[in-house]
Amino acid sequence: MGSDSRIVVIGAGMAGARLARGLAPVCEVTLLGEEPYAPYNRVLLAEVLAGRYGPEVIALPPVPAGRAAVRRGVRAVRIDRAARTVHCADGTAVAYDRLVLATGSNPVLPPLRGVNVAGGRLPDGVHPFRTLDDCLALAATARRGTRAVVIGGGLLGVSAARALAERGADVVLVHQGAALMDRHLDPAAGALVRRHLEDLGVEVHTECRARGLRHDGSTAAVSGVELADGFVLDADCAVLACGVRPRTGLATAAGLEVRQGIVIDDELRTSDPYIHAVGDCAEHAGTVYGVAAAALEQADALTAVLTSDLTSDLSADLSAGLPPGPLPETAAGAGETAPVEGPEAVPVVGPGGPRGPRYTGTRALTRLTLSGSGSFDIAAFGEPTPLPGDDVVQLADATRGAYRKVVVRGDRLVGGVLLGDLDTVGALARAWEGDEPVPAAPLLHLLTTNGGS
């Protein structure tokens, strides 16, 4: 890779934008974003829906000008691997030396009767909750007294229900599982989340499956959500929060290896050595993380990989007597930390000896802060269900709606759930993310307000 390398990034979400910012000072980068907006922090969409932030507040830091081009509202439709060219829906084509797929994920549309009408278009009043357009459409619909039904009680559905309730809507949350956020929390923690939502006026139904949508005969807009037992919930709008799946269509059409996500190795490289993938679309060592922390860590790791390659090529150019290109300004050495763009720094994978930088996986907490009056913070990681021989430390405060539990195996944390007013996860987060031994203090100290800091 020479100093005139052309890197094209498809996808201007959090991972793609982070990568473009890291590479812009040293490479010719083109960032293709399908949405018309500047890159934004998708994690904060619920804050926009609740009315606490304007859309401009969640914009990410801009990609530095100069050798970087950010193209908004441009959809990539085909990858020509032989010609190393990306073809776009607007008729343009962009050549690359290295291509990065940061295509993210699509919302899962549940198999409900009445979802796919009008040639595959969702009925009026039916919204996923994945993009800023989704968020703005919901915000325009939801007002005091609006009847809103949220289908799905995972992290996304809980966030949407809370935000809609804060806008004054009459919200019903329907979840097929036995407890809310059952992918991340144990039943006791899920029960506290339910109580928190019910205190806000949200009507919660668990072990309850939505079967179909009812439509207004004159407008074809949604008028109700039909449950499996035949009961119909009146609805002015319905939110589909049934999870996401990796967006892999471009990769599949290009002949790349795809399983659950686009398969990548420790250099974030796909089955084509000139194409990499990061974020929600990528599958590393059999895992699709689907969380922002992993997407950002992968973007930082790939920045280190590509700038390391650039440094190697620069050395080769100097050995051959060629004029040097620009030195990388953002390549991080071992043990360095990327600039903080959110509440916590994300470690950058540094050079790994003669094999160069590597990404070896992410150990991150899943965090959700339900802001506003009566802030409620959720943090979950690892395996919250203990195995025989594990140590379990648990604290519950029904009065304050707080719940804290960690599972320790030997001298390592293997899982935990924290709910309530958490100023910081502190030492608990560091021990988990770094796979470090738990602090020498008594285990109960891990569950104090500041996480043992």
Side-chain angles (χ1 to χ4, degrees), residues 29 47 122-123 127 161 163 187 189 256 269 303 337 399 412-413 434-435:
V29 181
E47 306 296 315
L122 289 175
H127 307 273
L256 301 177
R269 198 186 310 268
T303 299
T337 301
T399 303
R412 293 295 196 276
L413 289 171
D435 193 21

Side-chain angles (χ1 to χ4, degrees), residues 155-169:
L155 187 148
L156 193 62
V158 167
S159 300
R162 163 75 189 236
L164 288 167
E166 289 200 52
R167 293 191 75 90

Side-chain angles (χ1 to χ4, degrees), residues 363-452:
R363 294 172 60 88
L365 289 89
T366 297
R367 296 200 66 168
L368 171 63
T369 298
L370 303 176
S371 303
S373 58
S375 180
F376 193 73
D377 200 13
I378 301 169
F381 61 92
E383 310 165 29
T385 302
L387 298 177
D390 291 345
D391 291 317
V392 180
V393 186
Q394 183 171 314
L395 288 176
D397 185 337
T399 303
R400 297 183 180 180
Y403 177 81
R404 300 176 186 185
K405 168 185 169 182
V406 293
V407 180
V408 179
R409 188 171 301 154
D411 65 349
R412 293 295 196 276
L413 289 171
V414 294
V417 175
L418 306 172
L419 282 82
D421 185 8
L422 308 175
D423 294 332
T424 175
V425 180
L428 191 62
R430 292 192 292 274
W432 164 252
E433 293 173 341
D435 193 21
E436 300 169 354
V438 295
L443 291 179
L444 192 62
H445 190 56
L446 291 173
L447 302 184
T448 56
T449 301
N450 64 359

Side-chain angles (χ1 to χ4, degrees), residues 38 43 68 86 114 131 153 170 181 207 255 258 281 322 343 352 364 367 375 382 389 439:
V43 173
V86 175
T131 68
D170 296 330
M181 294 185 63
E207 297 183 277
V258 174
C281 67
L322 300 175
R367 296 200 66 168
S375 180

Side-chain angles (χ1 to χ4, degrees), residues 7 27 73 118-119 145 163 291 319 330 369 385 407 438:
I7 298 178
C27 305
V291 295
S319 298
T330 59
T369 298
T385 302
V407 180
V438 295

